[in-house]
Amino acid sequence: MELRDIEIFLTLAEELHFGRTAERLHVSQARVSQAIGQQERRLGVALFDRTSRRVSLTPVGRRLREDLQQALDLLREGLARAEAAGLSGGRTLRLGVFGHAGHELRPLVDMFRTRHPGSDVQFNEITGSDAFASLRAGVNDINVLWLPVVEADLTVGPTVLTGSRVLAVSADHPLAERGSASLEDLADNHVADLGPDAPEYWVAAMVPMRTPSGRRIPRGPAARTFHEVLSLVAAGQCVHPLGEIAARYNNPPDIVFLPMRDAPDLQWALTWRSTADSPAIRALAQIAVDLGPIAL
């Protein structure tokens, strides 16, 4: 009996309803019926009594449920012990972050170190042009990326940071005197072009292609890193939307960070390559769930 078939049997034994079982396991009702039918034919005995009104376990089905549940519990315990042993081996996770985000993630990292002595987190700075490439090349184990991330080969985990948005402008820019900016202001200025290496939809979540009224937002000159963006802004060559965290940790005399009242808040989530999933990654993700998003 395959592990998935065992899961189907035990879930149906609990729910006693084919539809609820299918919904709970995210499979079709036909898949549930097929799995149970195959088990009964293989064993040569009925496991469930079915009528038009109810589903119930047969005596053989009740005994099989007890036996399989014990076996499944032992299997899960064994896997949990193996994962704990793997974490105690001193695994260091390479966590890619933008700019100073690592400072805000300290509660997450501290709890990871406390729960899993010997394991650690190493921060690596990423940029908009390499945020996906560093995962796919194995440079980083996990990156903290603004949402949405919709990539077939990447897993999006829990949200770890939330915050508002600011517009970086030069100190002598006309907007600097207003004290705030809007998304519509972007159409009257250029924003930095982050290049072709990151998906356009993802870049647009931070730097829209158009304003809410439909006006096109000009892109250019090119910048690949956060500091390149700030240099262009300081020189008056562009303005650029950034997460509020940029204003918290940077105070250059020739740049002003303006709150963008009409821009939706940003969310950053743990993201990793699906094929590189590991006990350490899952452990960090669980801690992020336990802590909840950190508000900037």
Side-chain angles (χ1 to χ4, degrees):
M1 186 180 293
E2 298 290 337
L3 184 59
R4 185 59 164 169
D5 291 335
I6 293 175
E7 186 180 24
I8 290 174
F9 169 78
L10 289 174
T11 304
L12 182 59
E14 180 181 341
E15 295 287 350
L16 296 178
H17 190 282
F18 280 80
R20 288 196 298 269
T21 297
E23 182 177 353
R24 182 168 154 186
L25 296 177
H26 304 289
V27 299
S28 67
Q29 189 168 328
R31 173 71 177 90
V32 175
S33 298
Q34 180 187 40
I36 298 302
Q38 288 176 344
Q39 293 169 23
E40 291 178 327
R41 287 191 296 273
R42 179 181 177 185
L43 297 173
V45 64
L47 301 174
F48 294 90
D49 286 327
R50 310 164 180 77
T51 69
S52 59
R53 293 187 176 183
R54 62 191 295 268
V55 176
S56 61
L57 282 163
T58 65
V60 174
R62 286 195 295 272
R63 179 56 188 272
L64 183 62
R65 177 187 61 183
E66 294 173 2
D67 292 342
L68 289 180
Q69 189 62 62
Q70 290 179 9
L72 189 59
D73 289 344
L74 287 172
L75 176 62
R76 288 170 175 164
E77 290 173 6
L79 290 173
R81 285 193 294 270
E83 287 197 1
L87 283 172
S88 65
R91 173 70 194 276
T92 296
L93 285 176
R94 298 162 298 176
L95 181 61
V97 296
F98 291 100
H100 298 86
H103 295 290
E104 302 297 331
L105 292 171
R106 190 57 56 188
L108 175 70
V109 174
D110 288 347
M111 186 172 290
F112 179 77
R113 290 168 175 160
T114 299
R115 287 189 184 179
H116 307 287
S119 295
D120 203 355
V121 173
Q122 169 190 309
F123 288 113
N124 293 334
E125 187 173 4
I126 57 176
T127 69
S129 60
D130 71 357
F132 292 78
S134 59
L135 286 175
R136 289 170 173 145
V139 174
N140 292 334
D141 300 302
I142 315 175
N143 281 353
V144 178
L145 304 180
W146 68 73
L147 298 178
V149 174
V150 186
E151 301 293 311
D153 61 329
L154 301 182
T155 295
V156 178
T159 298
V160 292
L161 295 171
T162 62
S164 59
R165 215 173 309 204
V166 297
L167 183 66
V169 303
S170 63
D172 58 357
H173 193 285
L175 287 173
E177 297 181 1
R178 282 183 15 193
S180 66
S182 72
L183 290 171
E184 287 297 329
D185 292 324
L186 299 180
D188 300 320
N189 299 271
H190 281 76
V191 297
D193 183 354
L194 300 182
D197 295 330
E200 185 174 295
Y201 77 86
W202 181 73
V203 174
M206 176 68 78
V207 191
M209 300 293 293
R210 293 185 178 276
T211 68
S213 69
R215 300 165 66 202
R216 188 178 69 85
I217 299 173
R219 275 174 158 71
R224 295 295 179 268
T225 70
F226 172 73
H227 296 290
E228 288 179 5
V229 170
L230 291 187
S231 295
L232 292 171
V233 169
Q237 297 185 43
C238 68
V239 302
H240 202 79
L242 298 166
E244 181 187 14
I245 191 173
R248 181 175 302 181
Y249 289 99
N250 295 273
N251 188 29
D254 44 5
I255 292 178
V256 175
F257 296 100
L258 304 173
M260 302 184 74
R261 305 300 185 190
D262 61 343
D265 284 352
L266 293 167
Q267 295 184 327
W268 287 266
L270 298 178
T271 308
W272 61 89
R273 191 159 41 96
S274 300
T275 56
D277 194 6
S278 71
I281 289 176
R282 290 193 296 274
L284 186 68
Q286 183 57 55
I287 292 172
V289 171
D290 295 343
L291 284 177
I294 298 169
L296 298 174

